[in-house]
Amino acid sequence: MNAYRISRGATLAGLERIAAPRRALAAGEVRVAMRAVALNQRDLQVAAGRMGATAEPIVPASDGVGVVVETGAGVQRWRVGDRVIAAFFPEWLDGLPEPGTTARGLGGGRDGVLAEEVVLREAAWFRGPAHLGDAEAATLATAGVVAWNALFEAGGAKAGDTVVLLGSGGVSVFALQLAHAAGLRTIVTTSSSAKRERLCALGADVVIDTQAEPEWQDVVLNATAGRGADFALDVGGEGTLARSLAAVRMGGAVAVVGGLGDGFPSTFDGAALMGGAKRLLGVLVGSRAMAERLVRFLEDRALRPVVDRVFPFAQARAAYEYLASGRHLGKVVVEVASADPVRRVA
Ligand SMILES: NC(=O)c1ccc[n+]([C@@H]2O[C@H](COP(=O)([O-])OP(=O)(O)OC[C@H]3O[C@@H](n4cnc5c(N)ncnc54)[C@H](OP(=O)(O)O)[C@@H]3O)[C@@H](O)[C@H]2O)c1
């Protein structure tokens, strides 16, 4: 079977397609023929050497959907033909995160899913939503789950709240769709005026062009009658975290999700945090149980994640380059198999 491989820090030039051996299943394992894989900013960070625990070459990428083609001895959870999604942390099934269950995410310090076949323990997979196509279903495990967790599990957002979302990448667009469907008011920033209309069509109540309004936190205050938003989901880190904190109301919360703007600030204004009785929440993807709650929410609302562009398996590097360009809105996906994967790998 074919797979991609990359070494930490090898850059995209080091992303190579190889013929990987097919190993026999151990008891409790499941072999899945992958159909689609969604890329994340983290995959660029692994390639650049800013993330990932090992210098050994690994199969990259964390997010993928496929069909079960073989089950090991004793497998109860799945049958051949089931469509399943790999959980970002295969060992974090439910409850609070623990060092032991969150040490190694797929495509970071261990093999990921950019391959024609993936073998993981049966517990590491969750059911793909019936109403979604493969490219859409591939986007859930990281961007979908972290947006869900930040908003509703860690963040406790509820209908009527106002939430600030930054940019038009995979996490923020997923959060926009979820927040809009849950009855939240959404204020979205973007550095690209060309994306305004599409963000509005997805339910953004207010769109702020950060090129025209670099002090965008003031625009949030104006749009909330001076009070501030209830919640902000910060993916910018350095350069945005202080603004996100200023944009939320007294007692409001900021979910610290990403560091797109050159990592994270090394200092923050503790006095503003305390004086505003505000909360900073670190959010790390989520558990398989959170993924399953997200699946139910998407099915209940017939919600479809936004897939910007799909690349064929042979052009995975072009998919990475497109993600790196920042021209996308929503998710960038690699299609692994368009034919019936059960027959393809038999
Ligand atoms: N904590 C977790 O568990 C977790 C999980 C997933 C992702 N993350 C992190 O979350 C961040 C977003 O990931 P993603 O996959 O959604 O990325 P992405 O799809 O590549 O998002 C890129 C978009 O974000 C906006 N952006 C770029 N730089 C920015 C900045 N400095 N400040 C504000 N917005 C900026 C731009 O939107 P416009 O063109 O509209 O301006 C850009 O198109 C990354 O740092 C990633 O590592 C964390």
Side-chain angles (χ1 to χ4, degrees):
M1 67 112 183
N2 288 297
Y4 278 88
R5 197 170 63 169
I6 197 161
S7 300
R8 179 185 169 153
T11 76
L12 293 189
L15 182 70
E16 54 175 358
R17 187 172 163 173
I18 55 157
R22 202 174 190 237
R23 71 166 172 85
L25 294 186
E29 287 185 331
V30 170
R31 190 188 313 279
V32 171
M34 301 308 291
R35 285 183 165 179
V37 169
L39 297 181
N40 288 285
Q41 188 62 219
R42 169 176 176 268
D43 302 319
L44 296 172
Q45 293 165 357
V46 169
R50 291 198 298 273
M51 210 174 248
T54 170
E56 295 299 307
I58 54 162
V59 175
S62 53
D63 291 11
V65 66
V67 173
V68 174
V69 288
E70 188 185 351
T71 56
V75 166
Q76 305 275 329
R77 206 171 143 78
W78 307 112
R79 285 196 296 208
V80 169
D82 287 343
R83 195 168 70 136
V84 293
I85 297 172
F88 181 93
F89 290 121
E91 286 82 31
W92 184 14
L93 304 184
D94 201 354
L96 294 173
E98 303 279 350
T101 55
T102 58
R104 295 189 317 142
L106 295 178
R110 71 203 286 172
D111 280 339
V113 297
L114 191 52
E116 287 181 327
E117 291 183 356
V118 171
V119 172
L120 289 169
R121 288 188 318 133
E122 62 172 327
W125 303 92
F126 60 95
R127 181 178 64 78
H131 71 296
L132 297 185
D134 292 329
E136 294 165 324
T139 67
L140 269 54
T142 302
V145 171
V146 77
W148 170 266
N149 183 7
L151 284 171
F152 304 117
E153 305 231 5
K158 53 191 185 314
D161 285 353
T162 298
V163 61
V164 179
L165 304 167
L166 307 189
S168 54
V171 173
S172 296
V173 168
F174 224 124
L176 169 59
Q177 293 184 280
L178 296 175
H180 181 62
L184 277 69
R185 181 172 181 241
T186 52
I187 300 177
V188 184
T189 70
T190 180
S191 61
S192 166
S193 55
K195 293 177 175 174
R196 173 185 290 273
E197 269 182 37
R198 279 190 287 162
L199 291 168
C200 289
L202 289 167
D205 295 295
V206 177
V207 176
I208 305 172
D209 179 346
T210 55
Q211 298 292 319
E213 302 277 3
E215 302 296 324
W216 54 262
Q217 72 280 8
D218 295 338
V219 185
V220 175
L221 294 177
N222 281 338
T224 54
R227 178 174 179 264
D230 298 287
F231 188 75
L233 196 160
D234 192 283
V235 293
E238 179 76 52
T240 60
L241 196 51
R243 294 183 199 286
S244 290
L245 264 173
V248 298
R249 65 167 166 81
M250 196 160 186
V254 176
V256 180
V257 171
L260 283 171
D262 213 14
F264 297 95
S266 53
T267 59
F268 71 97
D269 186 350
L273 193 67
M274 184 189 72
K278 299 180 184 184
R279 290 166 295 138
L280 276 177
L281 312 167
V283 180
L284 185 61
V285 198
S287 64
R288 191 193 75 194
M290 290 177 194
E292 288 164 338
R293 289 191 280 275
L294 168 66
V295 167
R296 282 197 291 278
F297 183 89
L298 295 175
E299 286 180 335
D300 285 351
R301 320 278 167 129
L303 212 55
R304 315 185 80 95
V306 177
V307 174
D308 181 289
R309 208 165 145 187
V310 181
F311 291 78
F313 191 63
Q315 290 173 25
R317 189 181 298 166
Y320 272 75
E321 285 163 353
Y322 181 65
L323 181 74
S325 78
R327 297 205 306 277
H328 62 290
L329 184 151
K331 296 299 297 181
V332 178
V333 172
V334 176
E335 185 180 64
V336 182
S338 52
D340 176 357
V342 178
R343 267 181 277 118
R344 270 185 52 141
V345 299

